Amino acid sequence: MALKIPIFTDDPGWHGEQLKAAFTRRDVEAQFVSLQDCYLNIAHQSVIQIPYFEQTLPHGAFVRGISGGTLQQVISRLNILQILSMQNVIIYNSGKAIERTVDKAMTSFLLQQNGVATPATWVCESRQHANNIRASVGSKPLVLKPLFGSQGQGVRQLLQYEPLPVPMQMHIDGVYYLQEFIATPNSPHDYRVFVVAGKVIAAMKRTAHHHWVNNVAAGSHCESMAPNETIENLAINASKAVDIDYCGVDIIQSITGEYYVLEVTSIPAWKGLQSVTSVNIAQLLVDDFLSKLAV
């Protein structure tokens, strides 16, 4: 195998094995590497030192996961991706795209600025501001989310007279990310739409059981669906708004019929989606990634 590619991840799991098999089918050797094991060496011409790639930098790298940590650790790991890009290594998804989407506030801003329908959102640190926001929306429920988070963890609905959590640090690290709650017709559900290279390649409906959080990790039921034109356009425009190679876009429809983009995920899981579609998602991702390499 002439070409060797790192897959950045700390826990390859099912997704890593799917990607590795897809690379193998294209005669490419994939090597799992943790960003924690890479380091910056400004005394060396290559600058970034990557396990298994000590002699020369790879042509590209596939980012499957960035582990959590302190702010300094996360910045250090993102810096590795940014510097690799500066050294003409193709990063998929790019560090900039990951930064924009890991931060829900920036995602919401970019969606709104690019005319992509998204629920009304407020972000602040002041408890007084948060209470003022709640008072301004009257009886409408809001959703409180961690600014950095995934799989529905830490998400809670705030009813009008429910107090804010105390202490804040135990829940959302002292930042209030408040979003308008969108009620759905019938049982709680939303749509996960997978976009690769500006095209929708698969989609599913996620229906919650005994809860209003629709993430697959929270136990939602997955059902294949063909997105209508509105959902498809929203997903594509959301991916363009954050300037990303591929992503999972979460879309919800309100009781009154409008569609809104809830989130854009730059390192999306697709095990649930793969279970209800015949499209080989890992292979499409690998093929799109390889098409970007000038080798």
Side-chain angles (χ1 to χ4, degrees), residues 56-84:
T56 183
L57 289 176
H59 292 288
F62 195 109
V63 184
R64 175 56 215 152
I66 300 177
S67 60
T70 66
L71 179 60
Q72 292 185 76
Q73 287 174 321
V74 172
I75 289 175
S76 178
R77 292 161 196 166
L78 289 172
N79 280 344
I80 288 171
L81 300 182
Q82 300 281 27
I83 293 171
L84 285 172

Side-chain angles (χ1 to χ4, degrees), residues 163-178:
L164 290 169
V166 179
M168 286 297 297
Q169 285 71 19
M170 291 181 60
H171 298 272
I172 46 179
D173 292 332
V175 175
Y176 298 90
Y177 177 93
L178 297 163

Side-chain angles (χ1 to χ4, degrees), residues 228-242:
N228 60 35
E229 185 177 359
T230 300
I231 292 176
E232 188 164 341
N233 287 338
L234 264 182
I236 292 171
N237 290 336
S239 72
K240 291 178 179 177
V242 298

Side-chain angles (χ1 to χ4, degrees), residues 95-115:
K96 288 184 178 180
I98 292 170
E99 281 185 33
R100 285 189 288 264
T101 53
V102 166
D103 179 353
K104 290 184 177 67
M106 182 56 69
T107 303
S108 295
F109 170 75
L110 290 172
L111 292 173
Q112 192 273 339
Q113 286 290 293
N114 286 275

